[in-house]
Amino acid sequence: MKVLVIGNGAREHALCRSLSLDPDVTALHCAPGNAGIAEVATLHAVDALDGKAVADLAVELAADLVVVGPEAPLVAGVADAVRARSIAVFGPSAEAAQLEGSKAFAKDVMAAAGVPTARSYLCTTAAEVDEALDAFGAPFVVKDDGLAAGKGVVVTEDVEAARRHALACGVAEGEQPGAGRVVIEEFLDGPEVSLFAVTDGESVVPLQPAQDFKRALDGDEGPNTGGMGAYSPLPWAEPGLVDEVLATVLQPTVDEMRRRGTPFSGLLYAGLAITSRGVRVIEFNARFGDPETQVVLARLKTPLAGLLHAAATGTLAALPPLRWSEGAAVTVVIASHGYPEAPRTGDAIEGLEEVAEQDAPDAYVLHAGTRRTEDGTVVSAGGRVLSVTGRGEDVAAARSRAYRAVARIHLDGSHHRTDIAGAL
Ligand code: AMP
Ligand code: GLY
């Protein structure tokens, strides 16, 4: 099978790593990729958001499967452009990707499907915002309706900050609707879980749950980020959690999307809160999560290409049950100086060879924002730079291997959390 992966983060490196280990994969390509992905796949300098360019590349490579990593190309219709050329693609249509692209759309689907989520109001004016904030009380949760790369949600005790965020999202001061709209919803307490499911629009195959650390600093302090680390499995989770979420969230959502004539195929990511009143959906994403994918795929024993191809071709029902390693995986993100506000790029990364020589295969480095310069040095090229992943017989063992590898890496001015999977 010839596979083309779209994207350039550590999630795509994790996908490419697993695909490169699948004996059915005869050729692996990635666009645009990064310095780490270049070690397992052939890179192509194609804009991930350009559907025609991606489809042309897939045709030129005679790809049997295209895997779209990030949300922005999906919402822009890149999967549709590839599908229109009769090439199997893992990733939803632009219409179905609205499950992630519009919080209001997701709420509408959840209401129709009877999926448990936070009560919410969709607001377009400041008057509506004030009413909704008043109705729920603190802590306030205000979400930009559209895609905002992890910056769209504000959770705050301060009503003025909540109001300011709504206005910053384009809600109008007067009576007339503004350019933007926000969803204001009830605050959900309890731990968060990321549960991914592979679906062909009909059958739904859940993966193993993971937990992400979204705040920049130890102790869940500091600003929200794309994710600073993750682990899987969750030793504290109820054994029936995955089956419950499959029955109450994942299958009903996939069924509702099919009923609407916009079937969802690809990766359905449920961001869940385990509240005192039961499981609630915080959000849906239409693609693999980053950095959770790094730990989930580290434990998946079933060859990845066959799984993704079955989802892309509507044949998931015939696939045997997934096989998982009994052990655990932990990933720690090394972020550049200034991330998330103003990431600095162009700093040399040292220690990658040492990890490869001394820690593999129990720990390895997945690249996010990296690039190789003409003289061969690997330098930082983004906010999240590396995702250092460790595996072990349990979370504690995986964690110590991940951190041992982190300690070998040097990136000037970088920061990482020291408490990933530390207090379970
Ligand atoms: P989202 O982009 O919807 O995943 O939101 C980003 C983060 O904001 C989530 O991971 C939660 O930590 C937090 N959040 C979102 N919605 C709520 C809510 N209703 N109650 C509490 N926290 C929330
Ligand atoms: N880790 C959060 C996300 O991928 O959206």
Side-chain angles (χ1 to χ4, degrees):
M1 197 187 310
K2 299 193 199 87
V3 185
L4 168 62
V5 175
I6 304 303
N8 64 353
R11 162 186 50 210
E12 286 75 24
H13 193 179
L15 288 163
C16 284
R17 179 180 179 279
S18 291
L19 289 166
S20 73
L21 297 172
D22 182 337
D24 284 339
V25 174
T26 53
L28 184 58
H29 299 268
C30 184
N34 60 37
I37 296 174
E39 288 170 17
V40 292
T42 307
L43 301 194
H44 301 269
V46 162
D47 178 2
L49 290 171
D50 183 340
K52 180 172 183 312
V54 170
D56 284 347
L57 177 63
V59 169
E60 185 191 317
L61 297 171
D64 301 296
L65 175 68
V66 176
V67 179
V68 183
E71 62 275 19
L74 293 167
V75 170
V78 168
D80 306 83
V82 175
R83 223 172 260 125
R85 307 283 276 277
S86 303
I87 294 174
V89 53
F90 183 81
S93 67
E95 272 186 299
Q98 284 303 303
L99 264 187
E100 173 165 5
S102 164
K103 307 254 184 220
F105 177 82
K107 285 287 185 190
D108 192 55
V109 169
M110 283 189 263
V115 169
T117 184
R119 288 179 295 121
S120 67
Y121 292 111
L122 177 62
C123 307
T124 58
T125 68
E128 288 169 0
V129 166
D130 290 337
E131 218 172 294
L133 294 175
D134 207 36
F136 289 127
F140 303 101
V141 183
V142 181
K143 302 185 170 187
D144 193 336
D145 177 45
L147 277 191
K151 301 197 181 86
V153 179
V154 161
V155 180
T156 175
E157 295 282 338
D158 176 358
V159 70
E160 279 311 315
R163 201 166 189 277
R164 271 199 306 279
H165 182 58
L167 294 174
C169 294
V171 162
E173 268 292 3
E175 296 287 306
Q176 298 300 318
R181 45 188 204 168
V182 293
V183 169
I184 293 185
E185 67 181 31
E186 110 191 84
F187 178 80
L188 300 172
D189 61 350
E192 288 180 35
V193 171
S194 300
L195 184 60
F196 303 161
V198 171
T199 175
D200 56 11
E202 204 161 334
S203 298
V204 181
V205 177
L207 306 186
Q208 292 266 307
Q211 194 174 44
D212 175 19
F213 292 73
K214 289 210 164 81
R215 300 289 187 134
L217 308 175
D218 282 2
D220 287 332
E221 302 282 343
N224 252 323
T225 70
M228 295 297 290
Y231 67 98
S232 175
L234 311 178
W236 50 269
E238 298 278 341
L241 177 70
V242 172
D243 287 342
E244 179 193 340
V245 176
L246 175 62
T248 61
V249 173
L250 300 166
Q251 190 72 56
T253 300
V254 167
D255 291 345
E256 170 62 17
M257 292 298 284
R258 195 173 63 252
R259 196 191 62 74
R260 290 175 179 228
T262 52
F264 184 100
S265 74
L267 197 288
L268 180 59
Y269 164 149
L272 307 163
I274 314 297
T275 77
S276 47
R277 289 173 298 134
V279 174
R280 299 280 184 280
V281 174
I282 294 180
E283 63 161 354
F284 283 129
N285 293 317
R287 38 82 195 170
F288 279 100
D290 189 344
E292 298 97 312
T293 301
Q294 288 86 303
V295 290
V296 172
L297 293 186
R299 301 183 49 236
L300 179 68
K301 283 188 174 166
T302 300
L304 185 62
L307 172 63
L308 303 187
H309 190 263
T313 54
T315 55
L316 263 187
L319 203 78
L322 298 184
R323 291 181 296 112
W324 295 94
S325 111
E326 290 295 317
V330 172
T331 198
V332 178
V333 170
I334 299 182
S336 56
H337 181 272
Y339 177 78
E341 287 89 3
R344 185 175 83 195
T345 59
D347 290 301
I349 303 167
E350 288 158 24
L352 296 170
E353 293 78 15
E354 285 79 350
V355 174
E357 280 161 19
Q358 299 180 41
D359 300 317
D362 293 332
Y364 48 88
V365 178
L366 297 167
H367 291 223
T370 70
R371 127 187 116 73
R372 199 175 281 276
T373 60
E374 270 164 27
D375 68 6
T377 322
V378 177
V379 299
S380 59
R384 291 190 291 177
V385 180
L386 302 170
S387 202
V388 182
T389 306
R391 289 186 293 192
E393 58 280 13
D394 55 22
V395 172
R399 173 174 201 272
S400 73
R401 284 173 178 156
Y403 276 109
R404 190 175 58 192
V406 166
R408 296 193 209 279
I409 291 176
H410 181 78
L411 169 63
D412 211 23
S414 70
H415 60 100
H416 62 268
R417 281 182 63 159
T418 64
D419 63 348
I420 303 301
L424 303 187

